């Protein structure tokens, strides 16, 4: 499973709060996937972060 954040990110931090093992808001004010390959034990929370992103900027597949 891989995670990515596109340019639509508004840096709200919801993904980092939901799945800090995979997502982090950087110094540039937007989120990044710190682990492109989602660890198996974080798959559910990474998917939850993607589903709850207010601007649909996260892809997990």
């Amino acid at each position: 499973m891989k995670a990515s954040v596109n340019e639509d990110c508004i840096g709200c931090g919801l993904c980092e709060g939901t799945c800090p093992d995979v997502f982090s808001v950087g110094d540039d004010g937007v989120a990044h996937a710190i682990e492109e390959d989602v660890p198996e034990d974080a798959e559910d929370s990474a998917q939850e972060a993607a589903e709850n992103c207010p601007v649909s900027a996260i892809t997990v597949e």
Side-chain angles (χ1 to χ4, degrees):
M1 192 174 243
K2 296 195 180 285
S4 63
V5 181
N6 69 31
E7 67 278 352
D8 293 336
C9 177
I10 59 173
C12 72
L14 182 65
C15 59
E16 183 178 39
T18 303
C19 189
D21 291 336
V22 177
F23 302 103
S24 177
V25 176
D27 292 337
D28 57 358
V30 296
H32 302 276
I34 54 175
E35 293 288 339
E36 183 179 318
D37 291 320
V38 177
E40 190 174 317
D41 62 342
E43 288 180 355
D44 289 342
S45 60
Q47 189 63 44
E48 181 182 346
E51 291 169 2
N52 292 326
C53 178
V55 293
S56 300
I58 299 172
T59 302
V60 177
E61 28 183 45

